[in-house]
Amino acid sequence: ARSLSTLPSRFHAVKQLHAHQTTNYNQQRHHLFSTKTRRRRRGGTSPNSNRDLSPQQFLSIANDLLDKVESAVLKLKNNNEGLEIIRHPASSSGDASDADDSEFRQHLGQLEIKVPSIEGPYDGGTYMLTINADNNVALQCLSGNFTYVYNNTTGEWVGQEDGHSLLGILTRDWIRQCHGVPDF
């Protein structure tokens, strides 16, 4: 016959083992599902991603991005009545038509996409993809305003703050507001 005095110690040992396994599981689960960990692992969030590019190389790569987005959206114009696509050339501070216009900012090129209202939860609006003079690209879209840098290693434009993909967020917002999926 087993002594009842050994039961509490066995119970305590099993309870400790279960607590250790649960802690390990929760740490592994957090590691697998943590967006910060995943984004850091992808790399490219360093603001110095463009450091190795000359100004001419950066401008060429940024204009390629605008060309790519413009081309993909143009293919979907027939599916989206009222869609307007406007490509603005580089500007300088002397180009402002109204000196009081606080929204004017010098840029090296800009793509503006005006989306009409369609039935659904998201109203129309304007997407602005702007090449800035400080070697980054700004995107204004349904999800908000973001700044992107070019990752030399992956060849991808990534969010300066958290490493998300520019083309990924643009695609996500597009399919919420428009018809068709752009082939970036």
Side-chain angles (χ1 to χ4, degrees):
R2 293 192 177 176
S3 167
L4 292 177
S5 63
T6 60
L7 285 179
S9 63
R10 285 185 184 170
F11 175 75
H12 182 68
V14 169
K15 188 175 177 181
Q16 281 183 327
L17 178 63
H18 177 72
H20 177 71
Q21 289 172 340
T22 302
T23 301
N24 283 342
Y25 170 76
N26 286 335
Q27 288 173 345
Q28 289 171 354
R29 185 173 182 270
H30 175 75
H31 178 72
L32 291 174
F33 296 105
S34 169
T35 55
K36 288 186 178 182
T37 303
R38 191 173 344 116
R39 288 180 180 149
R40 284 191 194 119
R41 220 180 308 134
R42 283 184 25 189
T45 61
S46 168
N48 298 324
S49 295
N50 301 325
R51 179 177 36 190
D52 297 334
L53 298 175
S54 71
Q56 294 81 12
Q57 288 173 317
F58 170 77
L59 188 56
S60 175
I61 292 169
N63 274 309
D64 288 347
L65 170 68
L66 267 58
D67 292 342
K68 183 183 215 177
V69 172
E70 182 178 20
S71 174
V73 172
L74 275 171
K75 292 176 187 175
L76 299 172
K77 194 168 183 179
N78 291 337
N79 299 335
N80 296 280
E81 188 177 326
L83 185 70
E84 291 182 57
I85 304 163
I86 305 163
R87 184 79 175 255
H88 300 283
S91 69
S92 66
S93 57
D95 289 345
S97 57
D98 184 357
D100 294 334
D101 185 3
S102 61
E103 291 186 22
F104 179 80
R105 182 176 174 195
Q106 181 178 354
H107 62 80
L108 302 176
Q110 190 172 60
L111 180 63
E112 181 178 0
I113 304 167
K114 294 182 180 179
V115 176
S117 294
I118 60 172
E119 290 184 29
Y122 302 104
D123 201 13
T126 301
Y127 292 78
M128 295 290 283
L129 194 54
T130 306
I131 304 171
N132 293 321
D134 47 355
N135 278 9
N136 64 47
V137 170
L139 173 66
Q140 295 172 326
C141 60
L142 179 66
S143 293
N145 300 332
F146 301 99
T147 303
Y148 297 88
V149 293
Y150 183 73
N151 182 320
N152 292 327
T153 306
T154 64
E156 185 179 19
W157 289 91
V158 294
Q160 194 167 8
E161 290 183 18
D162 62 7
H164 71 269
S165 167
L166 182 151
L167 295 177
I169 201 161
L170 193 55
T171 301
R172 182 186 74 184
D173 282 3
W174 180 269
I175 61 177
R176 287 178 174 174
Q177 286 190 297
C178 301
H179 302 288
V181 179
D183 63 344
F184 300 126

Short mmCIF file of all heavy atoms in Angstrom, two decimals, residues 26-42 162:
data_model
loop_
_atom_site.label_atom_id
_atom_site.label_comp_id
_atom_site.label_asym_id
_atom_site.label_seq_id
_atom_site.Cartn_x
_atom_site.Cartn_y
_atom_site.Cartn_z
N ASN A 26 3.50 29.06 -24.12
CA ASN A 26 3.11 30.46 -24.31
C ASN A 26 4.25 31.28 -24.92
O ASN A 26 4.01 32.14 -25.76
CB ASN A 26 2.65 31.09 -22.99
CG ASN A 26 1.28 30.59 -22.58
OD1 ASN A 26 0.50 30.16 -23.42
ND2 ASN A 26 1.01 30.63 -21.28
N GLN A 27 5.49 31.01 -24.51
CA GLN A 27 6.63 31.72 -25.10
C GLN A 27 6.77 31.36 -26.58
O GLN A 27 7.01 32.23 -27.41
CB GLN A 27 7.91 31.39 -24.34
CG GLN A 27 7.97 32.04 -22.98
CD GLN A 27 9.16 31.56 -22.17
OE1 GLN A 27 9.79 30.56 -22.49
NE2 GLN A 27 9.46 32.28 -21.11
N GLN A 28 6.62 30.08 -26.91
CA GLN A 28 6.72 29.67 -28.32
C GLN A 28 5.57 30.27 -29.12
O GLN A 28 5.76 30.73 -30.23
CB GLN A 28 6.70 28.15 -28.43
CG GLN A 28 7.95 27.49 -27.93
CD GLN A 28 7.81 25.98 -27.86
OE1 GLN A 28 6.73 25.44 -28.08
NE2 GLN A 28 8.90 25.30 -27.55
N ARG A 29 4.39 30.26 -28.58
CA ARG A 29 3.22 30.80 -29.27
C ARG A 29 3.42 32.29 -29.53
O ARG A 29 3.17 32.80 -30.60
CB ARG A 29 1.96 30.57 -28.44
CG ARG A 29 0.71 30.99 -29.13
CD ARG A 29 -0.51 30.56 -28.29
NE ARG A 29 -1.72 30.92 -28.97
CZ ARG A 29 -2.33 32.09 -28.82
NH1 ARG A 29 -1.83 32.99 -28.00
NH2 ARG A 29 -3.43 32.36 -29.49
N HIS A 30 3.91 33.03 -28.52
CA HIS A 30 4.16 34.45 -28.68
C HIS A 30 5.20 34.67 -29.78
O HIS A 30 5.06 35.56 -30.61
CB HIS A 30 4.64 35.08 -27.37
CG HIS A 30 5.03 36.52 -27.52
ND1 HIS A 30 4.10 37.51 -27.65
CD2 HIS A 30 6.25 37.11 -27.59
CE1 HIS A 30 4.72 38.67 -27.79
NE2 HIS A 30 6.03 38.44 -27.74
N HIS A 31 6.23 33.84 -29.80
CA HIS A 31 7.28 33.96 -30.81
C HIS A 31 6.70 33.74 -32.21
O HIS A 31 7.02 34.44 -33.15
CB HIS A 31 8.41 32.97 -30.52
CG HIS A 31 9.49 33.01 -31.55
ND1 HIS A 31 10.37 34.06 -31.64
CD2 HIS A 31 9.81 32.14 -32.53
CE1 HIS A 31 11.20 33.83 -32.64
NE2 HIS A 31 10.88 32.67 -33.19
N LEU A 32 5.82 32.75 -32.36
CA LEU A 32 5.24 32.45 -33.66
C LEU A 32 4.25 33.50 -34.13
O LEU A 32 4.16 33.78 -35.33
CB LEU A 32 4.54 31.08 -33.63
CG LEU A 32 5.44 29.88 -33.48
CD1 LEU A 32 4.59 28.62 -33.30
CD2 LEU A 32 6.34 29.74 -34.69
N PHE A 33 3.48 34.10 -33.22
CA PHE A 33 2.41 34.98 -33.61
C PHE A 33 2.69 36.45 -33.34
O PHE A 33 1.86 37.29 -33.62
CB PHE A 33 1.10 34.57 -32.92
CG PHE A 33 0.65 33.22 -33.36
CD1 PHE A 33 0.79 32.11 -32.53
CD2 PHE A 33 0.11 33.03 -34.62
CE1 PHE A 33 0.39 30.86 -32.95
CE2 PHE A 33 -0.30 31.79 -35.04
CZ PHE A 33 -0.16 30.70 -34.21
N SER A 34 3.83 36.78 -32.82
CA SER A 34 4.15 38.17 -32.55
C SER A 34 4.48 38.87 -33.86
O SER A 34 5.37 38.49 -34.58
CB SER A 34 5.35 38.26 -31.61
OG SER A 34 5.81 39.59 -31.57
N THR A 35 3.74 39.93 -34.18
CA THR A 35 4.00 40.66 -35.42
C THR A 35 5.33 41.38 -35.36
O THR A 35 6.02 41.48 -36.36
CB THR A 35 2.89 41.68 -35.71
OG1 THR A 35 2.77 42.54 -34.58
CG2 THR A 35 1.58 41.00 -36.00
N LYS A 36 5.69 41.88 -34.19
CA LYS A 36 6.97 42.57 -34.09
C LYS A 36 8.12 41.62 -34.37
O LYS A 36 9.04 41.95 -35.09
CB LYS A 36 7.14 43.21 -32.71
CG LYS A 36 6.25 44.41 -32.52
CD LYS A 36 6.54 45.09 -31.21
CE LYS A 36 5.65 46.31 -31.08
NZ LYS A 36 5.90 47.04 -29.87
N THR A 37 8.06 40.42 -33.81
CA THR A 37 9.12 39.45 -34.06
C THR A 37 9.18 39.10 -35.53
O THR A 37 10.25 39.09 -36.13
CB THR A 37 8.89 38.16 -33.23
OG1 THR A 37 8.81 38.52 -31.86
CG2 THR A 37 10.00 37.17 -33.45
N ARG A 38 8.03 38.86 -36.15
CA ARG A 38 7.99 38.47 -37.56
C ARG A 38 8.55 39.59 -38.43
O ARG A 38 9.32 39.37 -39.33
CB ARG A 38 6.56 38.15 -37.96
CG ARG A 38 6.46 37.49 -39.29
CD ARG A 38 5.06 37.01 -39.63
NE ARG A 38 4.13 36.92 -38.53
CZ ARG A 38 3.04 37.66 -38.42
NH1 ARG A 38 2.73 38.54 -39.33
NH2 ARG A 38 2.23 37.51 -37.40
N ARG A 39 8.14 40.80 -38.15
CA ARG A 39 8.59 41.92 -38.97
C ARG A 39 10.08 42.17 -38.79
O ARG A 39 10.76 42.48 -39.73
CB ARG A 39 7.78 43.17 -38.63
CG ARG A 39 6.38 43.05 -39.17
CD ARG A 39 5.58 44.26 -38.84
NE ARG A 39 4.23 44.11 -39.38
CZ ARG A 39 3.17 44.61 -38.85
NH1 ARG A 39 3.26 45.32 -37.75
NH2 ARG A 39 1.99 44.44 -39.40
N ARG A 40 10.56 42.04 -37.58
CA ARG A 40 12.00 42.23 -37.38
C ARG A 40 12.79 41.14 -38.09
O ARG A 40 13.84 41.39 -38.63
CB ARG A 40 12.32 42.21 -35.89
CG ARG A 40 11.95 43.48 -35.21
CD ARG A 40 12.54 43.52 -33.81
NE ARG A 40 11.89 44.58 -33.08
CZ ARG A 40 11.18 44.40 -31.98
NH1 ARG A 40 11.04 43.21 -31.46
NH2 ARG A 40 10.61 45.42 -31.39
N ARG A 41 12.25 39.93 -38.09
CA ARG A 41 12.93 38.83 -38.73
C ARG A 41 13.06 39.05 -40.23
O ARG A 41 14.03 38.66 -40.84
CB ARG A 41 12.15 37.53 -38.48
CG ARG A 41 13.05 36.38 -38.21
CD ARG A 41 12.30 35.09 -37.95
NE ARG A 41 11.30 35.23 -36.93
CZ ARG A 41 10.06 34.74 -37.05
NH1 ARG A 41 9.69 34.12 -38.12
NH2 ARG A 41 9.19 34.89 -36.09
N ARG A 42 12.05 39.71 -40.84
CA ARG A 42 12.09 39.97 -42.28
C ARG A 42 13.19 40.94 -42.64
O ARG A 42 13.68 40.95 -43.74
CB ARG A 42 10.75 40.55 -42.74
CG ARG A 42 9.69 39.53 -42.87
CD ARG A 42 8.44 40.10 -43.41
NE ARG A 42 8.64 41.30 -44.19
CZ ARG A 42 7.69 42.05 -44.61
NH1 ARG A 42 6.45 41.76 -44.33
NH2 ARG A 42 7.92 43.13 -45.32
N ASP A 162 7.87 49.67 -39.14
CA ASP A 162 7.62 48.29 -38.74
C ASP A 162 7.94 47.25 -39.81
O ASP A 162 7.74 46.06 -39.58
CB ASP A 162 6.17 48.11 -38.28
CG ASP A 162 5.17 48.42 -39.37
OD1 ASP A 162 5.58 48.65 -40.53
OD2 ASP A 162 3.97 48.44 -39.07
#
